[in-house]
């Protein structure tokens, strides 16, 4: 019974629904710092299927994406995200999650197990059209984001999960699940937790 409860609680913070989320440009300014105290490496992994893999179907300006994350959310905490590898993963199970509706988090978990680097944050990107009702998920250094939600508060929210954070009800907090358009910052406690986790990641533990 205890084990079942644990599984349910893990799944409940893993996947985050896709309703109204926007880019924060109307409520926030970007802030960059010269040399952030801490850096963490990021892998960007484009999920493709056997059929889609010839033509790259994603059109992401990776530099712009990392600038977005750093400028709005992470540099102000003294944390710098740095792109390390950018790669393609051919995985039909993960590519079309509509086939795994209801078990998306466990599918993501199983299918990413062999391809994520433990000393980085690993961002898997899939098509919004290939998943229903979920904007993203995150846990244990792994994030799954749909292409339509990359430049919304869903990205830092899922990275928060990947760095060990849970949901909160605080309005305006990145880890809140309500009023997504208002989400803009991590609180002090979350900040400390994230920093500690990044230090562990960089030490390879
Ligand atoms: Zn969440």
């Amino acid at each position: 019974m205890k084990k079942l409860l644990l599984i349910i609680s893990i799944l409940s913070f893993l996947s985050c629904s896709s309703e109204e989320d926007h880019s924060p440009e109307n409520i926030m300014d970007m802030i960059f710092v010269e040399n952030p105290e801490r850096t963490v490496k990021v892998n960007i992994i484009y999920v493709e299927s056997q059929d889609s893999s010839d033509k790259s179907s994603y059109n992401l300006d990776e530099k712009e994406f990392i600038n977005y994350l750093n400028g709005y959310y992470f540099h102000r905490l003294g944390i710098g995200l740095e792109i390390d590898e950018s790669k393609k993963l051919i995985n039909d199970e993960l590519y079309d999650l509509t086939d795994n509706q209801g078990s998306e988090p466990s599918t993501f978990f199983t299918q990413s197990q062999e391809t994520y680097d433990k000393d980085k944050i690993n961002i898997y990107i899939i098509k919004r059209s290939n998943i229903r009702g979920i904007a993203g998920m995150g846990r244990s250094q792994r994030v799954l984001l749909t292409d339509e939600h990359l430049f919304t508060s869903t990205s830092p929210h899922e990275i928060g999960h990947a760095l060990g954070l849970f949901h909160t009800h605080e309005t305006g907090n990145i880890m809140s699940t309500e009023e997504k358009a208002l989400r803009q910052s991590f609180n002090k406690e979350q900040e400390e937790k994230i920093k500690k986790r990044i230090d562990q990641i960089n030490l390879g533990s």
Side-chain angles (χ1 to χ4, degrees):
M1 192 58 195
K2 214 171 175 187
K3 200 173 172 192
L4 182 70
L5 278 174
L6 183 70
I7 290 168
I8 290 170
S9 70
I10 286 172
L11 293 184
S12 65
F13 81 82
L14 246 171
S15 66
C16 306
S17 68
S18 70
E19 81 277 353
E20 20 79 57
D21 194 0
H22 310 278
S23 154
E25 60 202 5
N26 293 328
I27 54 166
M28 296 171 75
D29 290 320
M30 283 203 184
I31 294 172
F32 290 99
V33 298
E34 197 75 46
N35 286 304
E37 279 161 49
R38 275 179 187 75
T39 57
V40 62
K41 292 192 173 109
V42 174
N43 279 349
I44 296 184
I45 303 158
Y46 300 97
V47 180
E48 301 276 5
S49 73
Q50 294 285 4
D51 305 330
S52 73
S53 68
D54 296 345
K55 38 183 189 342
S56 180
S57 51
Y58 298 93
N59 211 345
L60 175 67
D61 183 333
E62 294 172 353
K63 226 180 137 200
E64 194 191 343
F65 178 52
I66 293 296
N67 273 340
Y68 162 80
L69 290 169
N70 281 330
Y72 281 120
Y73 307 106
F74 292 100
H75 265 207
R76 64 192 71 208
L77 309 180
I79 298 169
L81 271 49
E82 289 177 353
I83 299 182
D84 198 59
E85 289 174 68
S86 164
K87 50 191 178 187
K88 190 155 86 171
L89 171 69
I90 299 180
N91 183 309
D92 287 11
E93 285 297 315
L94 207 50
Y95 179 76
D96 194 347
L97 277 175
T98 52
D99 291 343
N100 292 291
Q101 207 174 341
S103 60
E104 293 95 339
S106 57
T107 304
F108 174 46
F109 247 45
T110 328
Q111 298 299 324
S112 60
Q113 196 60 35
E114 310 275 297
T115 51
Y116 84 101
D117 288 334
K118 292 196 173 64
D119 57 348
K120 298 172 196 165
I121 293 172
N122 303 264
I123 301 180
Y124 293 76
I125 301 175
I126 71 165
K127 296 270 163 197
R128 173 72 188 94
S129 51
N130 282 343
I131 189 168
R132 281 192 233 295
I134 294 177
M137 6 183 171
R139 199 181 138 225
S140 312
Q141 283 132 265
R142 282 174 274 174
V143 173
L144 179 100
L145 289 168
T146 63
D147 54 357
E148 280 178 20
H149 288 94
L150 291 172
F151 291 89
T152 69
S153 67
T154 293
S155 291
H157 177 100
E158 302 306 341
I159 291 173
H161 282 316
L163 294 173
L165 301 185
F166 297 90
H167 287 151
T168 155
H169 292 293
E170 228 176 279
T171 306
N173 190 284
I174 296 288
M175 299 313 291
S176 160
T177 51
E178 298 123 45
E179 298 186 87
K180 291 185 176 181
L182 297 179
R183 296 192 294 205
Q184 51 180 323
S185 55
F186 293 104
N187 63 31
K188 259 291 172 241
E189 197 185 319
Q190 292 167 329
E191 179 182 335
E192 292 313 313
K193 209 168 168 186
I194 289 179
K195 287 181 172 172
K196 221 166 157 185
R197 187 66 202 118
I198 288 174
D199 290 344
Q200 289 169 342
I201 290 173
N202 287 333
L203 285 170
S205 57

